[in-house]
Structure formats: structure tokens, C-alpha cells
Amino acid sequence: MSIKHWPAQERPREKLAGRGAQALSDAELLAIFLGSGVRGEDAVSRARRLLQAHGSLRGLLQALGGPPARRLQGLGAVAACRLQAAAELGNRCLQQGLERGEALTDPGSASRLFVARLRPLGNEAFAVAFLDSRHRLIAFEVLFQGTIDGAEVHPRVVVQRCLERNAAAVLVGHNHPSGVAEPSAADRHLTLRLRDALALVDVRLLDHLVVGDGPPVSMAARGWV
């Protein structure tokens, strides 16, 4: 049965208009982006099938990959571009809120920024939040990208970008696509190398966050910075 024949309060668009986006399931939100179903399958059923095939919204966005948006079975090019655009809008909204002057001294603000930018990625990536002397965000950059289980990070490049950005402090972070956020021995060693290299140019490393499933792990909170 087509969605237009559903009770009005159960249709995704009407439900969003009447109760807000937070009232919708993942499948219902995705159905709004899809816009329509296919023969013999309404948009919500199509959305559920896509989510089941990829495990979650995160899995679906990871499967889309970077530019250009990949073609996935059951998801057309237009819908794929819309989903990537929606994810990027959310990322930019979060970052612009911080750019208006919020200091990243609050661990929660820093965690939200790194989670939003790194958790959706299917490969490991290393990012830097460049801060001024009052720990307000100057810029956020993904500096290195690697494979599903590693990314090569060069402290020299991080130092160079700090000087170009005139940063007084930085927060760094990387993701573990496996979902397990526990830092490895290599992660801890890299943190110390970065701390020492940045100290030579009077830039303070405030934290190194590891993003997986659940809350990120803060190396500063563990006394490793």
C-alpha cells in the first residue's frame, strides 16, 4: 500500500510536521530523503531495506564514501548526493556554531566536533582543531587519511599547519572504523611525539581523542598528554 494511503499521522512528512524530526525513526527520516519507493515497495520499506543491508545510518553513509557519491543498490545518484549533503550540512552547522566564539575547553564540545566529523568515515582519518590563545576554534581540518586500520601521521605537517594558522593550541583526534575506541600503543606514542614537536613552537596539545562507537576516549583524561 502506498504511503499516501496511510493514516495521515503515520506518514513520515506529516509526522515530522506535526511532532518534529526527533519523533521519526531512522527509516522514516531516510524515506523522506528517498522521496518515493519502487515498484511493489513504499519509501519506508525501501529505507528499511537499505538500513538492514548496511547495518545502520552510519553504515549507509560510510558505504557512500567520499566524492563522488558511490552508487549503491537501491539508492539512486540523486538520493545519494542528498544524503551526503545532509551529513555535511550537520557537520558545518556544528563547526560554525563553534566558530562564533565558543571555547573548546569543555570536553563535551570537543567530543561532539570530532565525533561528527570522524565517526561517519569508513577509513581511519586524523584531524586537528586549531585554537587561538583563548581556545576558540580557528579551523578544523582532516590532515591525514588512511585505510580501515591505520593512517600515517607526520608531526612535521601538523606543526607547519599550526604555524600557518597561527594557532596557540590544538586538539587532535582520529577514528577507529572498527568501533573500538581504545587507544593503541602506537596512538600513545604518536601523542607524545606530537606534544613534544608542538612544544618546540609554543603550541600546546590539549588532548588526543579517539573516536569509535560510544563516547570518544580522551588521552588527556587518562594522563597521556
Side-chain angles (χ1 to χ4, degrees):
M1 182 172 62
S2 171
I3 288 178
K4 67 182 180 181
H5 296 119
W6 291 13
Q9 68 272 19
E10 295 301 322
R11 299 173 198 162
R13 290 177 183 170
E14 286 78 356
K15 191 174 178 181
L16 185 150
R19 298 169 56 189
Q22 69 276 5
L24 274 66
S25 67
D26 290 350
E28 289 170 331
L29 288 169
L30 181 56
I32 291 176
F33 277 96
L34 296 177
S36 63
V38 293
R39 180 173 295 181
E41 186 178 46
D42 61 57
V44 174
S45 297
R46 183 183 172 198
R48 288 175 180 150
R49 177 168 53 82
L50 281 165
L51 292 174
Q52 184 175 15
H54 297 284
S56 63
L57 275 175
R58 176 187 172 191
L60 177 59
L61 290 172
Q62 286 180 340
L64 287 173
R70 296 177 188 169
R71 293 294 298 273
L72 300 179
Q73 186 175 2
L75 188 68
V78 173
C81 287
R82 285 175 179 166
L83 281 174
Q84 283 197 319
E88 183 60 21
L89 279 172
N91 290 339
R92 294 187 185 188
C93 183
L94 173 62
Q95 184 167 332
Q96 287 174 5
L98 294 170
E99 286 172 350
R100 286 198 293 266
E102 180 180 349
L104 287 182
T105 51
D106 171 22
S109 298
S111 295
R112 288 191 295 272
L113 177 61
F114 280 88
V115 166
R117 298 304 298 266
L118 298 181
R119 181 174 283 168
L121 303 180
N123 290 334
E124 191 165 309
F126 181 90
V128 181
F130 302 93
L131 311 177
D132 65 15
S133 59
R134 296 175 62 184
H135 295 171
R136 294 174 301 188
L137 185 67
I138 298 170
F140 182 95
E141 293 185 45
V142 176
L143 290 185
F144 307 100
Q145 298 196 53
T147 63
I148 60 172
D149 59 0
E152 188 173 359
V153 178
H154 302 282
R156 177 178 178 274
V157 175
V158 178
V159 170
Q160 181 179 357
R161 291 300 288 151
C162 285
L163 294 174
E164 292 170 353
R165 293 286 189 181
N166 198 29
V170 294
L171 291 158
V172 303
H174 73 281
N175 62 318
H176 284 176
S178 67
V180 180
E182 185 64 27
S184 66
D187 293 336
R188 295 177 62 180
H189 178 64
L190 172 63
T191 302
L192 296 178
R193 289 180 60 208
L194 285 168
R195 182 197 64 187
D196 294 343
L198 290 166
L200 294 174
V201 292
D202 295 324
V203 176
R204 184 182 173 194
L205 175 62
L206 300 179
D207 203 351
H208 184 172
L209 297 166
V210 183
V211 176
D213 294 333
V217 172
S218 163
M219 294 201 190
R222 295 192 178 185
W224 295 344
V225 173

